[in-house]
Amino acid sequence: MLFIFYELVFGLFTPAKVSCVNFGYAPATTGLADLYPHPEEGCQYELYWQTYAQLARPLEDHEILCEISCGRGGGLAFLRGLTRARLIGLERSFFARRTARKRFGLDVRYAQAPSLPLADQSVDVFLCIDSAHIFHTPQFVRELHRCLKPEGLVLLADQNDGSDGYVRQFLERRYARAGFRLERWRDIRPNVLRALHCEQPRKQQILSALPNIPVLRAKAAAFMSMEGSRKYRELEQGQRTCFIMQARKL
């Protein structure tokens, strides 16, 4: 049901110029604006930068960075200006894949997580932005481990119910059982709340483009964590955590 909602809302009805829909990050890093595929989505691309910037060294042109649930491809298109690595996107939505291919010329393939249609030890870095909570099962973590090369990395920006300490301990144990070491963790809830406030007008435009069906619009507002939604209130009250993490395959 969630997939059908996502396909309808962010495939058929969302304005064509929209390239990213995530919880965002603020403030923006100076000097990156020229790389934005769409200037109005700076908070979206900043979340990609904050997550990608965890890497200790630049990726080389023979290395592969794969984004899981890459959506319309705006984030990967932004990263293309920052890395020489080969970029691959995985995405379930037909409309999102089509947009990413046609608009940005990206290599985006069909995938339905938690399964990953990739060869064993074929990826250097996995990236996942504000999506993993939908399919963040033990099976998914094992798939990450299977597909990563030795010492490969997982970079995640995500949200989960619970306090920061609780979510960190829970995921650290899950990744350890699958053969990973959690190397970095950042609580970014204040930055996300700031971004959500800044992006309220843009997301209101997305909402206004949807059919005037109250249930549909309310669900879309909650999906985007708009001000006034349950997710937004939970973030304000610390009942929901937003974080960036890096895990390494052992």
Side-chain angles (χ1 to χ4, degrees):
M1 187 60 111
L2 178 62
F3 169 67
I4 295 174
F5 162 78
Y6 180 87
E7 192 77 306
L8 286 174
V9 172
F10 299 106
L12 288 176
F13 299 118
T14 298
K17 66 181 181 179
V18 174
S19 75
C20 282
V21 182
N22 60 54
F23 50 65
Y25 184 103
T29 300
T30 57
L32 296 178
D34 289 345
L35 300 176
Y36 294 168
H38 193 277
E40 295 180 5
E41 297 178 325
C43 290
Q44 307 283 295
Y45 306 131
E46 183 64 28
L47 183 60
Y48 275 85
W49 166 246
Q50 292 292 329
T51 308
Y52 175 80
Q54 294 181 105
L55 293 176
R57 62 168 180 82
L59 297 177
E60 302 297 333
D61 55 9
H62 65 275
E63 294 180 297
I64 293 177
L65 183 151
C66 177
E67 182 183 3
I68 301 166
S69 292
C70 67
R72 291 180 164 203
L76 272 184
F78 165 67
L79 291 179
R80 188 163 52 188
L82 296 168
T83 180
R84 295 190 295 168
R86 178 185 171 193
L87 303 178
I88 296 173
L90 301 180
E91 173 58 45
R92 183 179 181 183
S93 165
F94 167 79
F95 294 106
R97 292 197 309 274
R98 183 177 66 179
T99 298
R101 291 167 180 165
K102 289 187 175 182
R103 182 176 177 184
F104 299 117
L106 293 168
D107 177 4
V108 176
R109 309 169 186 181
Y110 172 78
Q112 185 174 340
S115 298
L116 302 177
L118 299 167
D120 294 357
Q121 299 189 18
S122 60
V123 175
D124 295 278
V125 177
F126 274 117
L127 178 74
C128 192
I129 303 292
D130 194 15
S131 297
H133 58 276
I134 300 171
F135 43 74
H136 212 167
T137 62
Q139 178 191 350
F140 174 65
V141 181
R142 290 194 297 269
E143 277 286 85
L144 295 174
H145 191 275
R146 177 185 66 80
C147 298
L148 279 171
K149 296 177 184 178
E151 296 289 305
L153 295 173
V154 178
L155 305 179
L156 289 181
D158 206 13
Q159 54 179 304
N160 280 95
D161 292 332
S163 68
D164 179 73
Y166 169 80
V167 173
R168 176 174 181 165
Q169 289 179 11
F170 177 80
L171 290 179
E172 189 167 16
R173 288 194 298 266
R174 175 164 291 180
Y175 274 77
R177 286 194 292 268
F180 286 94
R181 179 177 63 248
L182 183 64
E183 294 190 331
R184 297 187 183 184
W185 181 279
R186 285 178 56 200
D187 176 6
I188 60 169
R189 188 171 64 90
N191 306 91
V192 170
L193 284 168
R194 182 171 175 179
L196 289 172
H197 177 73
C198 294
E199 288 230 300
Q200 185 75 4
R202 187 184 79 92
K203 290 184 176 179
Q204 188 60 53
Q205 290 180 351
I206 295 175
L207 210 60
S208 299
L210 301 180
N212 191 17
I213 302 173
V215 173
L216 182 66
R217 290 193 174 189
K219 190 170 181 63
F223 186 88
M224 294 186 288
S225 303
M226 294 180 67
E227 292 179 347
S229 69
R230 178 180 59 83
K231 280 187 180 181
Y232 187 86
R233 291 194 298 272
E234 289 174 348
L235 281 172
E236 278 190 311
Q237 296 165 9
Q239 299 171 350
R240 193 170 189 84
T241 296
C242 290
F243 61 89
I244 293 174
M245 61 167 272
Q246 174 182 293
R248 183 179 299 274
K249 177 179 177 177
L250 297 176

